[in-house]
Amino acid sequence: MSDFRYFDKLTDLDSESQYLAKRASEWLDNAYAPYSKFHVSAAVLLEDGTVVLGTNQENAAYPAGLCAERLAVFSANAQHPGKKIKKVVIVARRKEETVLTPAASCGGCRQVMLESEKRQGLPFEVVMLTHSNQWVIARSAASLLPFAFTKTNL
Ligand code: THU
C-alpha cells in the first residue's frame, strides 16, 4: 500500500477528512499572522471524536511564533493527555483571499507530529493540499519525514 493517496477535489475525500477540513477552514480567521499574512489552521481528531483546532500565531520576534500544526498537536497532547490522535488536517489561506492555498507542513511540524505518533504507538493520517493542488492523505506522520531524528538517536 502506498503511503500517499491523492485526490483532485476535497469532495473526493472521506467524509471525516472533509468535515475536519471544514472545521479547520472555519478557524482560519483566528490565525494571528500580521507579518506573513499567511493563515494556517490545523484540525486534530482524537480517538474519542474530540476535535482540537490550532492556528498559526506569529510574533514581532519572528522565531517566537508557532505554526498551526504544532500548536494544535501540542494542545491536543496537553489538554487531552493519553488520548490518541487519529488524523490531522491542515489548511491555509492567504489573508484577503477566499480560496485555500497549498499547506505543506514545515519540517519542524513534521518532526513534532512524528514524535506524537511514536509516543502513541499508532500511526495517524495527515491530510493537506499539495503544491500541485491535489489533496493528499499521508498514511502516517512518519511517511512525511523519512530518515527522521528520534529519541533513539540520542
Ligand atoms: N506555517 C504554519 O502554520 N504551518 C506550516 O507548516 C508552515 C508555515 C505558518 C508559520 C508562519 O506563521 C506562516 O505560516 C508563514 O510561514
Side-chain angles (χ1 to χ4, degrees):
M1 188 182 61
S2 162
D3 281 343
F4 306 109
R5 285 180 290 143
Y6 296 94
F7 303 88
D8 289 335
K9 301 186 301 291
L10 183 59
T11 46
D12 294 337
L13 273 69
D14 59 281
S15 55
E16 186 180 78
S17 297
Q18 286 186 51
Y19 169 72
L20 293 167
K22 181 170 171 283
R23 292 286 308 271
S25 300
E26 287 166 357
W27 216 240
L28 276 166
D29 283 340
N30 298 334
Y32 174 63
Y35 307 106
S36 71
K37 302 186 176 8
F38 191 79
H39 291 212
V40 187
S41 178
V44 174
L45 176 66
L46 302 180
E47 57 185 349
D48 66 350
T50 305
V51 177
V52 178
L53 296 159
T55 53
N56 55 329
Q57 299 295 317
E58 298 183 350
N59 193 277
Y62 290 179
L66 200 59
C67 290
E69 300 89 311
R70 245 175 292 179
L71 204 138
V73 167
F74 281 151
S75 81
N77 288 332
Q79 295 179 59
H80 304 275
K83 280 189 203 164
K84 290 187 170 57
I85 293 175
K86 202 173 153 199
K87 191 178 289 204
V88 179
V89 178
I90 304 141
V91 299
R93 194 177 61 212
R94 291 195 188 82
K95 191 175 157 65
E96 317 295 0
E97 289 189 4
T98 51
V99 290
L100 296 180
T101 196
S105 265
C106 79
C109 289
R110 292 179 196 215
Q111 180 76 28
V112 164
M113 289 193 282
L114 172 70
E115 184 147 338
S116 215
E117 179 174 271
K118 287 202 173 297
R119 200 175 155 202
Q120 69 179 36
L122 192 71
F124 57 77
E125 291 184 336
V126 182
V127 183
M128 54 196 173
L129 186 62
T130 69
H131 290 102
S132 53
N133 259 308
Q134 279 187 311
W135 289 89
V136 63
I137 301 183
R139 62 173 296 276
S140 63
S143 67
L144 291 170
L145 198 63
F147 310 109
F149 185 83
T150 68
K151 67 176 184 182
T152 59
N153 300 113
L154 290 171

